[in-house]
């Protein structure tokens, strides 16, 4: 059973960089065929795909967020990390990590529980 757990600060000030980590257990992030994704859901809105890192380490980003987003990994800790720079209150959302099968864009078979991030001074 694969489990994903998001961690990071729940409050970030405007203009700062949001940094979240997803810790994976029950499976390796270097296993072929899987993509490790970040998705967010702003209040009252739908899910927004932000980006993913492939089992090989290649990264994929949403065009609308690409200039502010970086996804990296630490294979020794079986973790992958999201950094979103220059945040504004519009970046307030529940942030989720998930495992995608065969593509950076899904389908997803495992999800983290999500973590609330609020951008406010």
């Amino acid at each position: 059973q694969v489990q994903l757990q998001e961690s990071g600060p729940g409050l970030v000030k405007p203009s700062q960089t949001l940094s979240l980590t997803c810790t994976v257990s029950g499976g390796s992030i270097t296993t072929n065929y899987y993509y490790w994704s970040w998705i967010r859901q702003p209040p009252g809105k739908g899910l927004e795909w932000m980006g993913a890192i492939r089992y090989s380490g290649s990264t994929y980003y949403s065009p609308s967020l690409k200039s502010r987003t970086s996804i990296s990994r630490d294979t020794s800790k079986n973790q992958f990390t999201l950094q979103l720079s220059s945040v504004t209150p519009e970046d307030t959302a529940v942030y989720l990590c998930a495992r995608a099968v065969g593509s950076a864009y899904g389908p997803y078979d495992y999800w983290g529980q999500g973590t609330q991030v609020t951008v406010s001074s």
Side-chain angles (χ1 to χ4, degrees):
Q1 179 80 4
V2 175
Q3 293 183 316
L4 296 89
Q5 179 67 57
E6 304 89 350
S7 60
L11 181 63
V12 182
K13 295 185 185 304
S15 81
Q16 291 187 340
T17 295
L18 178 162
S19 184
L20 297 173
T21 295
C22 184
T23 301
V24 180
S25 58
S28 171
I29 63 172
T30 61
T31 298
N32 282 10
Y33 207 53
Y34 296 117
Y35 296 70
W36 304 90
S37 308
W38 286 101
I39 297 155
R40 68 181 183 179
Q41 185 168 29
K45 297 185 179 181
L47 295 172
E48 178 184 18
W49 181 82
M50 300 182 70
I53 186 164
R54 191 174 183 237
Y55 55 88
S56 62
S58 300
T59 51
Y60 307 80
Y61 298 110
S62 165
S64 65
L65 296 171
K66 184 175 183 178
S67 65
R68 300 195 291 130
T69 306
S70 177
I71 297 174
S72 59
R73 66 180 185 173
D74 185 336
T75 57
S76 67
K77 296 181 179 179
N78 216 35
Q79 296 174 333
F80 61 106
T81 298
L82 169 73
Q83 290 192 310
L84 181 67
S85 63
S86 304
V87 297
T88 72
E90 286 67 42
D91 294 309
T92 294
V94 175
Y95 286 76
L96 305 105
C97 56
R99 188 177 81 169
V101 184
S103 163
Y105 312 101
Y108 305 97
D109 58 355
Y110 290 101
W111 294 76
Q113 63 183 19
T115 187
Q116 173 69 47
V117 177
T118 301
V119 179
S120 175
S121 56

